[in-house]
Amino acid sequence: MSTARTTLRRAGAATALAAVGVLAAAGVASAHVTVHPESYAKGATDGVLTFRVPNEEDTASTTKVQVYLPTDHPVLGVLVSPRDGWSAKVTTTKLKKPVKTDDGTITEAVSEITWTGGRIGAGQFEDFDVAFGQLPDDTGQLAFKTLQTYSDGKTVRWIEQATSGDDEPENPAPVLKLTAKDADTGGSVPVTAKSAVSETPSASRSDSTARGIGVAGLVVGVLGLAAAVFAVVRGRSAGARPE
């Protein structure tokens, strides 16, 4: 009986470790800064971008977030939503190439938003909302390079961009995909409702891979537990047989 209990205990431990692996792998994969929704139509108007900033340090809090908006393909009419505990500083830049709109020619656009004063603790995240009047229609994506500063002085630079055929970089910049305009909406809303709550494509791929690895571990653990139970039952049956 002692041997049987030991076998079951070891199999159960293996299954538990596999389950922990699922959660750990998914957590690591989604720890970078992202922008939501993951896509909008080119030239979309009157929308909101949410920058999600998770804290990935165990011993320090995030105290400063800097998001840089591209000026070669500017986002027009930017407004920052108030966030409790945080103060936002908006920096504008004169455009090298003015943008003509129905309301006139735009010569300046927001190039940086800096949030300070708040804290994002270990195991927590914060969403920073930014409204826009119009997205560009002459590019396929927008990269928002981001700097995340911690209370211990460490700064993580989320500025890298994946190139065709390469794996996701270690510190990827949040990327918003711009797709063909929707004929029904005129490009004023995200392409799909799902995109409003989903992660960026690169993050989704990483999470899918992590979950796949974790699920495989769970399967192995469950099979091990089943084998242990079968061995115990078989041993009992053998002991009950007459000589």
Side-chain angles (χ1 to χ4, degrees):
M1 181 62 70
S2 177
T3 301
R5 288 179 178 176
T6 300
T7 301
L8 285 173
R9 190 179 297 114
R10 289 176 178 174
T15 304
L17 287 174
V20 170
V22 175
L23 299 177
V28 170
S30 61
H32 50 262
V33 177
T34 53
V35 61
H36 305 268
E38 65 180 11
S39 66
Y40 261 106
K42 292 181 178 180
T45 58
D46 301 325
V48 175
L49 298 174
T50 298
F51 294 92
R52 176 161 295 178
V53 182
N55 190 95
E56 59 177 8
E57 294 290 327
D58 295 330
T59 58
S61 300
T62 296
T63 56
K64 184 179 181 179
V65 177
Q66 297 164 267
V67 175
Y68 294 86
L69 284 67
T71 54
D72 53 346
H73 302 287
V75 178
L76 306 180
V78 169
L79 295 173
V80 179
S81 176
R83 176 62 58 186
D84 290 344
W86 295 85
S87 297
K89 177 184 177 182
V90 178
T91 301
T92 60
T93 298
K94 188 175 181 63
L95 299 175
K96 293 182 178 179
K97 182 180 179 181
V99 179
K100 293 182 179 181
T101 69
D102 294 338
D103 298 323
T105 300
I106 307 298
T107 59
E108 293 185 340
V110 173
S111 58
E112 179 186 348
I113 305 173
T114 300
W115 287 274
T116 56
R119 299 179 75 86
I120 307 174
Q124 299 178 340
F125 72 89
E126 189 75 76
D127 282 343
F128 298 94
D129 295 333
V130 176
F132 63 83
Q134 183 175 332
L135 296 177
D137 60 5
D138 57 353
T139 184
Q141 67 177 30
L142 295 175
F144 299 93
K145 295 181 179 181
T146 302
L147 302 185
Q148 181 179 9
T149 301
Y150 288 91
S151 56
D152 60 2
K154 176 183 177 181
T155 297
V156 180
R157 300 169 62 83
W158 303 102
I159 62 174
E160 300 173 2
Q161 297 185 55
T163 57
S164 180
D166 290 346
D167 294 333
E168 183 182 73
E170 182 177 356
N171 295 314
V175 173
L176 176 71
K177 297 294 183 181
L178 297 180
T179 63
K181 293 183 179 180
D182 189 302
D184 295 329
T185 64
S188 61
V189 296
V191 176
T192 62
K194 180 180 178 181
S195 65
V197 294
S198 61
E199 295 179 342
T200 57
S202 56
S204 298
R205 288 194 295 269
S206 298
D207 288 347
S208 296
T209 301
R211 282 193 289 266
I213 295 174
V215 169
L218 273 177
V219 171
V220 172
V222 171
L223 289 176
L225 182 61
V229 172
F230 177 76
V232 171
V233 173
R234 184 176 181 181
R236 290 177 176 176
S237 298
R241 292 196 194 101
E243 294 294 336

